[in-house]
Amino acid sequence: MGLSDEELDRLADVVRLQPTKNAELQEAWGMESGSEVHGYLESHLTDYYFRDDDSLIRATSEAADLVDVEPGVESDADAEPGGVPDTIRVPELQARVFEVVAGPEERSQSVVSVLNDLRETFGIDPDVDDVRRALRSLERKNVVEVVYRTVPTFRLAVERDAVTVEVAE
């Protein structure tokens, strides 16, 4: 039995957003809780996803073949797992965060500092929680690192030009 249109759409989200968490899929799918996401994955997409060593949700290679979307992270074939990807496909806010967050040799920034840079550079005013989620998603993709000071702060883990950033539709 094949997957329904809704299941294929949601599987495409898993492929596009990987590595991801329940909360990110919860937001994308308009669900009430991470438990609801987990239940959906287990009852509808169990053969097409797995959790890696860090409990992040990833699509199987079969899943990627079933849907016509590019994976969220694309690495060189010789790259080691957990290494820096060559290309990431992210929502527009994440692409903009990547553009403004401190570079790898600069002093790391708080979420509010990144938010202020987004306002100044792009004239946008996203919610602070959306900026935090964008930074955490980029961290899971190994292109942003967290530096713990009084509050968690962020900076690029790689040179800005080492990664191609594409905005996912």
Side-chain angles (χ1 to χ4, degrees), residues 11 14-15 18 48-50 57-64:
L11 185 58
V14 172
V15 172
Q18 72 178 318
Y48 302 103
Y49 87 98
F50 64 96
I57 299 165
R58 295 184 182 269
T60 64
S61 56
E62 182 183 358

Side-chain angles (χ1 to χ4, degrees), residues 61-78:
S61 56
E62 182 183 358
D65 292 341
L66 278 175
V67 294
D68 189 27
V69 297
E70 296 292 331
V73 172
E74 200 174 284
S75 295
D76 183 340
D78 297 328

Side-chain angles (χ1 to χ4, degrees), residues 38-50:
H38 177 75
Y40 186 90
L41 289 169
E42 284 298 302
S43 61
H44 294 270
L45 302 176
T46 193
D47 293 335
Y48 302 103
Y49 87 98
F50 64 96

Side-chain angles (χ1 to χ4, degrees), residues 89-128:
R89 288 174 192 83
V90 295
E92 186 173 4
L93 179 60
Q94 288 182 34
R96 288 182 171 183
V97 166
F98 185 86
E99 287 184 50
V100 301
V101 70
E105 301 302 318
E106 298 174 319
R107 183 171 170 84
S108 57
Q109 296 178 271
S110 68
V111 174
V112 172
S113 176
V114 173
L115 173 62
N116 288 333
D117 285 352
L118 288 168
R119 289 173 177 156
E120 185 178 312
T121 305
F122 296 106
I124 60 173
D125 191 21
D127 186 77
V128 70

